[in-house]
Amino acid sequence: MTGVQTCALPIFRLFFLSLILIVPISVHAALVEQGVENIVSVCSDGKTVYFLNETGKVYSKTKTGIVALDLPDQVVSVQALEGSLFFLRTDGAVWQYLAGDLHLLDGHLPTRSIRAQGDRLFLLKESGFVVSWKQGQFRNLVTDRQFRTMVPYGQSSLVFMDRWGRVFRYDTYSEYIALLDSSPGTIQMVAGLDSLVVLKRDGSVYKYVDREFHKLNIQRPVREIATDGKSLYFIDIDRKFWEMDLVTDMLHNVQVQGHPDRVFVAAKKAYVSTMEGQVYGLE
């Protein structure tokens, strides 16, 4: 009888250790209120975080605190690049804000959206054309398409969506355009250095792997997505906020006070705004 007892304890320990090895243990940081409200866009140059609220007001946040910037009104989009803040107004003009000075960057053909990548700013025109800006110089990149949405992908690519929801990839070095997804219905694209994820009109989510889009195992329809390249952050139809590891596909429900409405990523940090107006950062 004694021999059986001394044998059972090591077996139990081995079983317990196997569970520890099999079940990943992850530590998730807390959500911290950011001190701004009703945010519709977030960007960062790695040092300063900029928040754009629904009235067009822009705030900068550093280690010393939050400051409202003295910018023109009717700002609809912001991007940060190498110490400069670039912003798009409702009239389609693009401005640069640097060290307290304002400069009209582009007031010609109306711009639809702006995106920063590396040391360049990309402008997607209302006509669907794409222009790059670097150190004061403009360059036409795409002039024969009618793209509607643009996001940077990796270090040298842009991903576009046309009016039908088809997805294209543009290599900024070779200047080659490739069709990645011919199926219509994409309503949002997000990308990082090594990941590209799209949201379809029916609420399904797909990850681009090995030159194909693969459906992610998310049980509930999704409203909005964002990514830092390693994790996917999303809000589902029930307004619950989730984090998914893009390598293991493991899901974690992040508890938010209020009803999550928008999700953003800036400088590899996730932010979520609620219908009640609060904004939280995943610290």
Side-chain angles (χ1 to χ4, degrees):
M1 187 70 177
T2 304
V4 174
Q5 289 177 340
T6 55
C7 181
L9 185 58
I11 293 175
F12 173 78
R13 285 178 176 173
L14 288 173
F15 176 73
F16 180 73
L17 288 173
S18 68
L19 287 179
I20 295 176
L21 293 173
I22 293 172
V23 180
I25 298 175
S26 57
V27 178
H28 299 275
L31 287 174
V32 177
E33 197 161 357
Q34 298 298 296
V36 289
E37 295 183 344
N38 302 312
I39 296 303
V40 297
S41 181
V42 184
C43 68
S44 175
D45 61 2
K47 298 180 179 179
T48 303
V49 180
Y50 298 93
F51 298 94
L52 171 66
N53 73 8
E54 61 186 15
T55 66
K57 192 70 176 177
V58 181
Y59 299 85
S60 66
K61 181 178 181 180
T62 62
K63 294 180 179 179
T64 59
I66 298 176
V67 177
L69 300 182
D70 186 17
L71 302 179
D73 59 0
Q74 299 181 343
V75 176
V76 295
S77 181
V78 290
Q79 290 286 287
L81 181 66
E82 295 184 337
S84 290
L85 177 69
F86 299 89
F87 60 93
L88 172 65
R89 300 183 67 209
T90 54
D91 61 2
V94 180
W95 291 72
Q96 180 183 16
Y97 178 76
L98 176 63
D101 293 330
L102 281 171
H103 169 67
L104 178 61
L105 193 73
D106 182 19
H108 300 294
L109 294 175
T111 298
R112 182 180 181 87
S113 68
I114 55 175
R115 291 291 186 270
Q117 181 190 55
D119 58 356
R120 288 189 287 183
L121 182 73
F122 295 94
L123 293 76
L124 175 60
K125 296 294 185 176
E126 286 288 356
S127 63
F129 295 179
V130 182
V131 179
S132 69
W133 177 91
K134 178 181 178 180
Q135 298 178 351
Q137 300 295 320
F138 284 97
R139 184 165 179 263
N140 292 328
L141 299 181
V142 180
T143 59
D144 60 347
R145 304 295 178 107
Q146 293 185 343
F147 296 128
R148 310 303 292 169
T149 306
M150 166 183 66
V151 296
Y153 176 32
Q155 295 181 334
S156 61
S157 294
L158 298 171
V159 179
F160 298 100
M161 183 171 63
D162 65 12
R163 58 182 297 185
W164 295 281
R166 299 180 300 180
V167 179
F168 298 79
R169 180 177 181 176
Y170 174 77
D171 188 294
T172 58
Y173 288 145
S174 66
E175 300 185 0
Y176 177 74
I177 298 177
L179 178 63
L180 298 186
D181 183 11
S182 60
S183 64
T186 299
I187 60 173
Q188 188 185 3
M189 308 179 300
V190 295
L193 284 177
D194 303 308
S195 61
L196 170 63
V197 183
V198 300
L199 172 63
K200 292 293 186 177
R201 195 176 304 279
D202 63 1
S204 58
V205 183
Y206 292 79
K207 178 175 64 173
Y208 187 67
V209 180
D210 297 330
R211 300 185 179 182
E212 292 183 353
F213 281 96
H214 300 269
K215 188 176 181 180
L216 294 177
N217 185 25
I218 300 175
Q219 301 301 318
R220 300 289 292 168
V222 173
R223 303 175 59 92
E224 185 162 336
I225 58 177
T227 185
D228 59 7
K230 296 182 179 180
S231 295
L232 176 71
Y233 304 93
F234 65 91
I235 299 171
D236 69 16
I237 194 172
D238 297 321
R239 295 197 179 276
K240 292 182 179 180
F241 182 44
W242 298 85
E243 177 185 358
M244 170 180 272
D245 188 302
L246 287 174
V247 176
T248 64
D249 288 349
M250 287 189 64
L251 274 172
H252 170 66
N253 178 225
V254 183
Q255 297 297 317
V256 180
Q257 185 176 355
H259 300 84
D261 186 49
R262 302 288 304 275
V263 58
F264 317 95
V265 167
K268 298 182 179 180
K269 179 177 175 179
Y271 299 86
V272 57
S273 64
T274 67
M275 296 180 66
E276 293 77 12
Q278 288 81 15
V279 180
Y280 300 93
L282 195 60
E283 301 288 352

